[in-house]
Amino acid sequence: MEISYKQLLANITTLIFDVDGVLTNGMVTIMPDGELIRTMNIKDGYALKTAVDQGLNVCIISGGTNEGVGKRLANLGIKDIYLGAHDKIKQYHELVQKYNLQPENVLYMGDDIPDFPVMKLVGFPCCPNDAVPEIKNASKYISNIKGGEGCVRDVIEQILRVQGKWEGNFSAKYD
């Protein structure tokens, strides 16, 4: 009997996300001074903060170096933020040592070729709907939502629901 991806979510303790193409739509606005401006989805931010508040390890490994991105993520309570990471395996191994992680406890969401080496090592590789074909083929779950449009919220909410940590956050029921 094949295990459904939802059953695998029950064991996830650590979430690792790429930024460009996952937390953003992969587009950048280039300012006259050369600064690259990115846009993030506020619902992804809420889910990231909720995951942190519920005790999950939330980590970022990105090749990008934008200080504003780092500040935004730190303000959500994320402590493990690796920017300028062009060899993501190094940062992944640091996290494995720091938290004594087992592959089955780790989710990684990426969208492009630089994410592939880490995705091969984790227990739950996943991606946004608009990831490149190689990443989709390596994923155990493909969100029906594109990068930067709520795919991070999608996967975090599913994890927290499976673990019984989503509904407990709300004092009122919404119809």
Side-chain angles (χ1 to χ4, degrees), residues 3 8-9 12 15 25 41 46 51 68-69 73 76 83 85 87 95 98 106 115 131 134 146 148 157 161:
I3 295 175
L8 299 173
L9 298 180
I12 299 298
L15 314 173
N25 66 4
N41 187 298
Y46 174 79
V69 168
L73 297 169
L76 295 173
L83 301 180
D87 178 10
L95 291 167
K98 181 176 182 179
V106 182
D115 301 306
E134 296 88 346
K146 293 180 180 179
E157 186 173 334
R161 283 184 186 277

Side-chain angles (χ1 to χ4, degrees), residues 11 15 19 21 41 51-52 64 70 95 99 118 123 127 129 131 133 151 153 172:
N11 298 321
L15 314 173
V19 173
N41 187 298
V52 168
L95 291 167
Y99 295 109
V118 176
C127 67
N129 185 267
C151 64
R153 164 74 176 255

Side-chain angles (χ1 to χ4, degrees), residues 3-174:
I3 295 175
S4 79
Y5 82 89
K6 290 242 185 193
Q7 290 172 295
L8 299 173
L9 298 180
N11 298 321
I12 299 298
T13 61
T14 300
L15 314 173
I16 305 173
F17 297 100
D18 178 31
V19 173
D20 292 320
V22 174
L23 284 164
T24 76
N25 66 4
M27 303 291 284
V28 293
T29 301
I30 304 169
M31 302 305 289
D33 65 357
E35 183 180 5
L36 304 177
I37 305 295
R38 293 159 173 85
T39 302
M40 292 184 168
N41 187 298
I42 201 77
K43 291 177 182 163
D44 284 344
Y46 174 79
L48 289 164
K49 175 87 172 97
T50 301
V52 168
D53 290 348
Q54 290 298 316
L56 295 175
N57 298 320
V58 178
C59 313
I60 304 296
I61 304 176
S62 175
T65 58
N66 185 287
E67 288 181 33
V69 168
K71 286 179 185 174
R72 162 72 175 147
L73 297 169
N75 285 339
L76 295 173
I78 300 171
K79 293 178 177 39
D80 297 297
I81 303 170
Y82 299 93
L83 301 180
H86 299 292
D87 178 10
K88 296 181 179 191
I89 290 283
K90 178 183 175 194
Q91 285 76 23
Y92 171 73
H93 286 302
E94 284 181 28
L95 291 167
V96 166
Q97 274 196 314
K98 181 176 182 179
Y99 295 109
N100 193 26
L101 300 174
Q102 299 302 313
E104 64 269 15
N105 303 124
V106 182
L107 173 146
Y108 184 97
M109 182 177 259
D111 71 306
D112 208 345
I113 301 301
D115 301 306
F116 188 77
V118 176
M119 291 179 77
K120 290 191 316 188
L121 299 177
V122 302
F124 198 89
C126 62
C127 67
N129 185 267
D130 56 344
V132 300
E134 296 88 346
I135 297 302
K136 286 183 172 182
N137 289 337
S139 294
K140 290 187 178 174
Y141 173 71
I142 301 169
S143 176
N144 63 345
I145 303 170
K146 293 180 180 179
E149 296 182 8
C151 64
V152 170
R153 164 74 176 255
D154 171 43
V155 74
I156 290 175
E157 186 173 334
Q158 288 189 62
I159 291 165
L160 293 177
R161 283 184 186 277
V162 165
Q163 295 180 1
K165 298 176 180 176
W166 183 258
E167 290 88 355
N169 288 329
F170 312 109
S171 58
K173 294 289 181 185
Y174 297 96

